[in-house]
Amino acid sequence: MRMEGKHRVSKITASSVATRKNICLTIFIRHQLLFNWLLISNQFFVDRLTFNSGESFILEKLENWEQLQAPSDKKEFRLCKHASIHGTMYKQNMVLYYDYEDTIPQFAIVRKVLVHESKTIHFIVKKLITVYYDDHTCAFHVQKTNHFVFVNQNELLDSKPLFLSTNNEGKLFVASYGIFE
């Protein structure tokens, strides 16, 4: 962050105060009052969900929608090309770390990004099979499947999306950086 941007509030306070006696205490009090206002007004921890206005999407119109294991109370969604929450952008073809089985992470490729009532992000993902962890590349070797799953963004084990890479031999890898931090 730039120094000018970081100290902007303190600079404005220091220049607007008429007295110069104990300027540090004045800046401190104004800073605390601003922070308290942010907490009380619930503007500090806002979800900040943004998405492009997509078309209406009903799960029941999909073939084999029962196999997605979607909750029965949520039927109608907005189908979006991308959606972001807390500054994290989700798009199609990104890889998500959504589950683990016997300490082996389970990954999936995002096929559809869905938003329910402008509040929560959901995904229809295509599962990947984790074959092994490659120490040399620090990545997980994965294989594609034809199994689709419905995943809620709040239930992800790691909210950061990952990327699928292919090596010279055609093997698919998911980089492990950031997963175990």
Side-chain angles (χ1 to χ4, degrees):
M1 179 183 277
R2 292 185 347 260
M3 175 153 169
E4 296 84 20
K6 181 178 179 181
H7 298 291
R8 182 176 178 270
V9 176
S10 300
K11 285 180 177 182
I12 292 171
T13 303
S15 64
S16 64
V17 174
T19 181
R20 294 288 176 221
K21 286 186 179 178
N22 209 349
I23 191 75
C24 293
L25 180 64
T26 304
I27 292 172
F28 170 74
I29 290 172
R30 294 266 177 111
H31 184 72
Q32 288 297 317
L33 288 172
L34 176 65
F35 184 67
N36 286 337
W37 176 78
L38 285 172
L39 289 176
I40 290 170
S41 66
N42 287 332
Q43 293 184 3
F44 194 69
F45 299 109
V46 187
D47 279 344
R48 296 187 182 104
L49 172 65
T50 59
F51 56 95
N52 66 329
S53 58
E55 58 199 40
S56 180
F57 182 80
I58 298 173
L59 279 178
E60 294 174 348
K61 291 184 179 179
L62 286 175
E63 293 180 24
N64 303 326
W65 71 276
E66 298 92 8
Q67 296 176 357
L68 291 176
Q69 302 166 355
S72 59
D73 60 337
K74 297 181 180 178
K75 301 276 187 203
E76 192 168 338
F77 297 91
R78 302 293 299 172
L79 178 62
C80 304
K81 292 189 180 196
H82 60 81
S84 69
I85 187 164
H86 300 297
T88 304
M89 172 90 58
Y90 297 101
K91 299 179 185 177
Q92 290 181 353
N93 298 324
M94 288 185 157
V95 177
L96 299 176
Y97 170 39
Y98 76 97
D99 200 6
Y100 65 91
E101 184 177 307
D102 296 329
T103 69
I104 298 172
Q106 302 296 312
F107 301 102
I109 301 173
V110 176
R111 289 298 175 212
K112 295 190 185 307
V113 179
L114 307 171
V115 176
H116 185 289
E117 296 179 355
S118 299
K119 295 179 183 175
T120 56
I121 301 175
H122 303 274
F123 309 102
I124 295 179
V125 296
K126 190 174 187 180
K127 289 177 77 172
L128 297 170
I129 297 173
T130 306
V131 181
Y132 63 88
Y133 180 75
D134 188 4
D135 290 328
H136 180 69
T137 59
C138 296
F140 290 94
H141 173 57
V142 294
Q143 292 177 344
K144 291 184 178 180
T145 65
N146 288 327
H147 187 75
F148 290 89
V149 179
F150 184 86
V151 178
N152 185 346
Q153 186 268 337
N154 294 328
E155 297 171 358
L156 291 175
L157 296 179
D158 189 10
S159 62
K160 293 179 283 192
L162 304 165
F163 296 96
L164 195 62
S165 304
T166 307
N167 69 356
N168 296 341
E169 301 168 357
K171 293 182 180 179
L172 299 172
F173 287 93
V174 175
S176 65
Y177 58 86
I179 293 178
F180 302 112
E181 294 176 356

